[in-house]
Amino acid sequence: MPFWGAAVIFVLAVAGFVIGALRLRQRRGLRAACMIACGLLAAVSAAYMALIIILVSSVR
């Protein structure tokens, strides 16, 4: 996956986290599931981007 793809996924996951927290106030179960899924996706893509930066900087 290219770096820009991970960055786009990260931005969309953070936006989904915020929108899910704001829009799904009445449905607690769905809000929790949405926030967990978006949070995990954001964490995985952030870790991927950090590892790419570390690996690319070590090659140079």
Side-chain angles (χ1 to χ4, degrees):
M1 174 186 336
F3 185 80
W4 64 268
V8 168
I9 290 173
F10 178 76
V11 169
L12 290 176
V14 170
F17 189 86
V18 171
I19 291 171
L22 295 176
R23 295 287 183 182
L24 298 174
R25 290 185 188 263
Q26 303 299 328
R27 300 178 177 175
R28 290 183 180 244
L30 185 60
R31 180 179 62 182
C34 177
M35 291 177 73
I36 289 171
C38 289
L40 285 174
L41 190 60
V44 168
S45 61
Y48 179 81
M49 290 188 299
L51 287 173
I52 290 296
I53 290 171
I54 290 170
L55 290 173
V56 168
S57 66
S58 69
V59 170
R60 290 184 183 178

